[in-house]
Amino acid sequence: MTDYPQLCMIIDGERVVAGSRRTFTVRNPATGEALGELPLADAADLDRALDTAARGFRIWRDSTPQQRAAVLQGAARLMAERADDLARIATMEEGKPFAEARIEVMMNVGLFNFYAGEVFRLYGRTLVRPAGTRSTVTKEPVGPVAVFSPWNFPLGNPGRKLGAPIAAGCSVILKSAEETPASALGVLQCLYDAGLPKEVAQAVFGVPDEVSRHLLASPVIRKLSFTGSTVVGKQLMKLAAEDMKRTTMELGGHGPVLVFDDVDADRVLEVMAPAKYRNCGQVCVSPTRFIVQEDVFDEFVAGFTARAKTIRVGNGLDPDTQMGPMANPRRPDAMERLIGDAVARGGTLHTGGERIGNQGYFYAPTVLSNVPEDAAIMNEEPFGPVAILNPYRGEAEMIAEANRLPYGLAAYAWTADSRRQKIVAREIESGMVGINTNMIGGADAPFGGVRWSGHGSEDGPEGVEACLVTKAIHEG
Ligand code: NAD
């Protein structure tokens, strides 16, 4: 059994423990029990982290691709070796089933290995110029990056936020969510143990608004990378704009799923019902609005409801569990508000719609249908275990509904018609589209959204590119 580690920040290579600082109590969402006390940064801690990040950048921008690759590959190997311990800590902190947490570790392993290859391909170019002159275009690391990662992928989010800047030759200050600190520290430790100089990556925690204001006010920080809600993303963009810092914003979504009547509904349900309840629906690319063609609607609702009822909800450390608790007490509260409002406005509740048990933050897998467009849940990201199923006449109405909201992160469509597959892929405004699949990510594929879902990509060559600036050098 993994012991929960002592919590700390890591600033200039030093493990900073609570002492007289304020603390945050980290809790297990399955039981509500306290796991540990997390020290929160004060202004002096953040200033020290900023000075260190400036030094770390000077060290790491001069690193060779071989050094960067060795660190990333070494960390990938260590994460794979420590997968069970890392996954268990993530489950204790966030609640997701252990098997899901383990997949997060392996996603980091794949991503770090991919980036280890990318560091050899950060090319510039030489332009055609007359003899005796030269014009070159180079790519340089953007500088120290402040990264903020949320609690829903306690290992995968910090992995993404650390891997790309390190591959690009930047230094990083990571503030992961205070709810899931030990997972983030576990990822960082793999990088240190693989030889990353301690000045290059640091971990701070704090009152989120204080930390982001302090770090983003500093000219040391050249880029902000944030994953979280659109509301907070907009606030942080404004802070970054004061100093014209580069940004990568991975924000919320409201995943539309178009289900046409030319597909086998059972096959769609087999993939998309479990996908809905993965991580209790607390996934930015979660399928949320099922936009179902009317001929298959009744069959689809019945099949979805039957499947939702069979999901085994419990402690994520129990191997039989298919869905854990929600990650924090804010989420069941949000479910009560959103589902209550949907039903009050005339939506039909087929199953769920209630908390489970009297400890932890459990909420039942829920299915709603015929929810009117003015219900809050039709417009606000629910970020919970609730599927919304509504009927539509045909292609044009279904595409219009998919594009109705200002979000555009992940969209899905199920159709056997090859012409329609291409139309839908083209017409839906979304950073990622899955046609007859829910697999929309990969180490080599850009992950990101458009419009209110943010901008910039993580993963793939685009993830490293986002941490580089372009310079043109003209020699006469
Ligand atoms: P929230 O909006 O307060 O926080 C979301 C994340 O942003 C958390 O990790 C939090 O630590 C961080 N954060 C909040 N204020 C910040 C600030 N001023 N500076 C820096 N970081 C800050 O809400 P929450 O209750 O934690 O989550 C609720 C909503 O957030 C969800 O409904 C969902 O829409 C969104 N969310 C999205 C993702 C994602 O993957 N895109 C992940 C987690 C949460």
Side-chain angles (χ1 to χ4, degrees):
M1 186 75 187
T2 316
D3 290 329
Y4 191 75
Q6 193 199 11
L7 297 170
C8 64
M9 298 188 281
I10 302 183
I11 301 175
D12 199 5
E14 188 197 326
R15 294 169 63 84
V16 177
V17 293
S20 59
R21 287 174 186 78
R22 294 163 297 173
T23 60
F24 174 88
T25 305
V26 180
R27 293 189 182 278
N28 183 333
T31 59
E33 82 176 296
L35 292 170
E37 289 296 319
L38 178 69
L40 302 181
D42 55 30
D45 293 323
L46 297 174
D47 283 338
R48 197 149 75 92
L50 285 163
D51 288 347
T52 306
R55 256 187 295 125
F57 179 55
R58 287 192 292 276
I59 297 170
W60 200 239
R61 64 181 286 190
D62 287 334
S63 58
T64 63
Q66 286 80 0
Q67 277 173 296
R68 294 182 206 176
V71 164
L72 289 162
Q73 273 166 347
R77 187 174 42 74
L78 291 170
M79 280 190 284
E81 281 172 22
R82 300 173 191 175
D84 285 352
D85 285 348
L86 288 167
R88 196 160 294 136
I89 285 171
T91 294
M92 289 164 81
E93 291 188 328
E94 202 263 356
K96 67 177 61 185
F98 174 78
E100 282 185 30
R102 218 173 176 289
I103 291 171
E104 262 190 76
V105 181
M106 299 323 285
M107 280 165 54
N108 274 352
V109 170
L111 186 61
F112 279 28
N113 280 327
F114 175 79
Y115 281 156
E118 278 306 285
V119 301
F120 293 97
R121 293 188 282 272
L122 306 183
Y123 305 131
R125 64 189 199 274
T126 305
L127 308 181
V128 177
R129 290 291 182 271
T133 69
R134 184 165 55 187
S135 288
T136 48
V137 179
T138 62
K139 299 281 181 181
E140 297 178 353
V142 62
V145 186
V147 301
F148 300 91
S149 65
W151 40 262
N152 60 335
F153 286 84
L155 301 159
N157 280 321
R160 274 185 172 152
K161 295 281 180 231
L162 291 165
I166 288 170
C170 300
S171 59
V172 199
I173 301 178
L174 166 71
K175 190 203 83 62
S176 86
E178 284 65 34
E179 284 102 332
T180 55
S183 304
L185 291 168
V187 174
L188 186 54
Q189 192 62 45
C190 292
L191 284 157
Y192 292 148
D193 291 347
L196 184 74
K198 295 250 168 78
E199 297 88 341
V200 175
Q202 305 173 85
V204 298
F205 300 98
V207 174
D209 187 56
E210 279 177 30
V211 178
S212 51
R213 276 181 198 281
H214 197 106
L215 295 183
L216 295 175
S218 166
V220 168
I221 298 298
R222 299 299 166 83
K223 178 180 162 142
L224 153 71
S225 177
F226 173 71
T227 298
S229 61
T230 298
V231 174
V232 174
K234 287 181 181 180
Q235 287 168 20
L236 297 187
M237 279 278 292
K238 286 180 191 152
L239 295 176
E242 286 297 320
D243 189 40
M244 207 52 88
K245 297 186 199 303
R246 283 272 293 276
T247 52
T248 293
M249 309 301 286
E250 207 272 87
L251 308 178
H254 206 289
V257 186
L258 282 63
V259 183
F260 289 94
D261 64 7
D262 58 21
V263 285
D264 173 8
D266 259 354
R267 197 178 139 235
V268 183
L269 288 165
E270 207 144 289
V271 176
M272 296 313 275
K276 171 66 261 180
Y277 300 111
R278 177 169 73 111
N279 197 17
C280 222
Q282 302 164 120
V283 179
C284 54
V285 296
S286 188
T288 294
R289 266 173 306 147
F290 289 81
I291 299 168
V292 186
Q293 202 162 8
E294 54 195 9
D295 289 357
V296 286
F297 183 69
D298 290 342
E299 180 192 354
F300 198 77
V301 172
F304 213 112
T305 306
R307 281 175 166 79
K309 284 181 173 166
T310 66
I311 290 183
R312 290 188 299 275
V313 181
N315 188 317
L317 292 178
D318 177 344
D320 286 337
T321 292
Q322 292 173 312
M323 190 180 95
M326 304 201 79
N328 57 58
R330 299 186 296 283
R331 297 319 309 152
D333 288 352
M335 290 306 100
E336 284 194 337
R337 174 175 63 80
L338 291 169
I339 294 165
D341 170 74
V343 172
R345 287 172 192 273
T348 306
L349 176 66
H350 295 272
T351 185
E354 59 189 2
R355 295 174 192 246
I356 303 178
N358 56 7
Q359 63 164 23
Y361 316 130
F362 291 96
Y363 200 87
T366 299
V367 178
L368 290 171
S369 76
N370 291 298
V371 181
E373 204 177 290
D374 63 353
I377 203 166
M378 286 292 285
N379 300 283
E380 207 180 294
E381 182 177 35
F383 225 62
V386 51
I388 310 163
L389 280 43
N390 280 353
Y392 295 83
R393 197 169 321 131
E395 189 179 290
E397 292 89 342
M398 292 166 76
I399 292 173
E401 169 56 23
N403 287 336
R404 180 177 57 86
L405 295 180
Y407 296 104
L409 189 59
Y412 308 87
W414 290 80
T415 173
D417 180 332
S418 74
R419 177 199 142 274
R420 183 177 270 160
Q421 290 164 1
K422 290 161 197 82
I423 301 272
V424 166
R426 180 190 151 101
E427 291 303 321
I428 294 186
E429 289 185 80
S430 190
M432 295 164 282
V433 180
I435 305 286
N436 297 336
T437 180
N438 72 325
M439 303 299 284
I440 51 157
D444 54 354
F447 186 99
V450 297
R451 303 186 67 201
W452 282 18
S453 295
H455 54 246
S457 301
E458 302 195 277
D459 305 354
E462 290 85 354
V464 187
E465 179 74 34
C467 297
L468 298 170
V469 286
T470 303
K471 183 184 274 178
I473 304 168
H474 302 278
E475 300 166 80

